[in-house]
Structures are given as C-alpha cells and as structure tokens.
C-alpha cells in the first residue's frame, strides 16, 4: 500500500511538471491554448505510454482520467500565472528537469513491479523520462534535446543507477527515491551550469 501511494504521488507530480514544460515550450512558439494542451499531454503521457506498451500493460492514462485533468490544470496554471513565471528565464528548464527525474523513478518502479530486472528497469525509466520530451520537440519542429550535446537522457540513466545501488544497499524506498531524484536533477543542473557534455561524434 505504501509503495502504491508513493508511486502514484510521483506519477502525478511528474505529470504536472512535464505538462507545464510542454505548455511553456508551446507558448514560446506562440501556439494557442489547444496547441499548448496537446504539447503538454504529449510530454506528460508520451514516455509512460511507450513504457507501458513495451511492458504489455494498459497505458496508465487509460485507467485514470487524472492525468488528462492534471494537464488541463497545468495549462490553467500557465495561463493564470504566465506573467509571474515569464520573468523566470529558466522556468521551463526547471519543470522539465523535475519531470525527467520523477518520471524516471516512476518508470523504474513500474518495471520492477512487472518483474523486470534492474537493467531493463533503468532503460524503461530513461524512456519514461526522456521520450515525452522527444515527442514534444518533434511536435514543435525542434531538434530533440537527447540528440544535442546537453546531458539529458544520461542524467536519467545515472538516476536509475542510483536507484538500483540504493535499493541494493537496502535503503528504505523513501530514501532510494530521494537519492535517485537528487542525482538526476543535480546532474542535469550541473551539466547546464558548467556546460558539461558527452564527446561529439566526428564524421572525419
């Protein structure tokens, strides 16, 4: 019961954070409200839908309308407080990072609940966290962030490895979640702050 509550809270928070991220990116492209909602829902449920299909499960948003409603609330939040959050230059980056960390954890937990080994769970966590952003960038006609030099999916993978090591060490699930969340967010923030990136492939 405790696990189920933690998992649901993580997915709800991740949905709200990712939806805001998608809506803010759509606003930067001057989309209308419906376009913003479509981008928000694509980010919020895209990665989790791919994960559930690969796990052979019913996509999570088809069993609970909260995720659709949560995206609508995120749209309302952005519309109402747009003037306040517009002054924060990196608002959408922060929400995107929070969503990445939260959905990575949700993907790992659901994969483990389906009996998958940890190496699969870490991949599923990365898909859950990063695939929604890819769908968003395709809709906005942007180069997907995971193909840029900016560290994104690697932060999710490192967060997943942290989850595995913390669980292996026998730490409580609450501590494991916090550690994974902190590593994912910290890695992403540090990478952007200090311009860290992976080596670039060269054609010659």
């Amino acid at each position: 019961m405790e696990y189920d509550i933690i998992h649901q809270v993580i997915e709800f928070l991740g949905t709200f954070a990712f939806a805001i991220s998608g809506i803010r990116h759509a606003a930067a492209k001057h989309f209308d409200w419906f376009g913003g909602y479509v981008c928000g829902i694509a980010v919020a449920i895209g990665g989790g839908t791919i994960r559930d299909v690969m796990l052979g499960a019913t996509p999570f948003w088809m069993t609970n309308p909260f995720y659709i409603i949560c995206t609508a609330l995120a749209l309302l939040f952005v519309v109402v407080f747009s003037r306040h959050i517009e002054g924060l230059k990196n608002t959408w980056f922060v929400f995107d990072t929070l969503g990445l960390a939260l959905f990575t954890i949700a993907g790992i937990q659901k994969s483990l609940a389906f009996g998958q080994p940890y190496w699969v769970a870490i991949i599923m966590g990365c898909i859950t966290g990063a695939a929604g952003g890819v769908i968003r960038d395709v809709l906005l006609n942007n180069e997907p962030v995971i193909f840029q030099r900016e560290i994104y999916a690697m932060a999710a993978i490192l967060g997943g490895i942290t989850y595995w090591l913390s669980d292996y060490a026998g730490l409580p699930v609450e501590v494991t979640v916090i550690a994974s969340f902190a590593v994912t967010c910290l890695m992403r923030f540090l990478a952007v702050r200090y311009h860290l990136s992976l080596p670039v492939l060269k054609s010659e």
Side-chain angles (χ1 to χ4, degrees), residues 173-196:
V173 64
E174 296 87 351
V175 177
T176 298
V177 166
I178 292 174
S180 178
F181 177 84
V183 168
T184 304
C185 291
L186 185 62
M187 186 63 206
R188 183 116 165 83
F189 290 144
L190 289 177
V192 172
R193 173 65 177 82
Y194 295 103
H195 307 288
L196 304 177

Side-chain angles (χ1 to χ4, degrees), residues 34-165:
F34 180 75
Y37 182 83
V38 170
C39 286
I41 198 69
V43 181
I45 71 174
T49 299
I50 295 174
R51 172 204 65 206
D52 289 346
V53 169
M54 295 179 71
L55 290 175
T58 301
F60 65 102
W61 58 270
M62 296 177 66
T63 61
N64 190 338
F66 179 86
Y67 303 96
I68 308 298
I69 298 172
C70 185
T71 302
L73 293 175
L75 176 63
L76 180 63
F77 177 85
V78 171
V79 170
V80 173
F81 296 103
S82 59
R83 293 183 179 180
H84 300 283
I85 65 177
E86 188 65 29
L88 303 176
K89 295 175 59 177
N90 296 319
T91 298
W92 50 90
F93 165 74
V94 173
F95 278 115
D96 190 60
T97 299
L98 295 177
L100 175 68
L102 291 167
F103 267 29
T104 296
I105 295 170
I108 291 173
Q109 290 183 329
K110 188 161 189 176
S111 299
L112 293 175
F114 272 72
Q116 297 295 331
Y118 253 110
W119 66 272
V120 173
I122 292 174
I123 294 174
M124 289 296 179
C126 182
I127 290 174
T128 307
V134 174
I135 297 173
R136 174 202 65 208
D137 291 336
V138 170
L139 290 174
L140 295 173
N141 197 30
N142 294 330
E143 180 183 6
V145 67
I146 65 170
F147 298 145
Q148 300 174 21
R149 296 184 62 184
E150 180 180 328
I151 290 179
Y152 190 75
M154 278 303 301
I157 293 174
L158 291 175
I161 293 174
T162 301
Y163 192 103
W164 168 49
L165 293 176

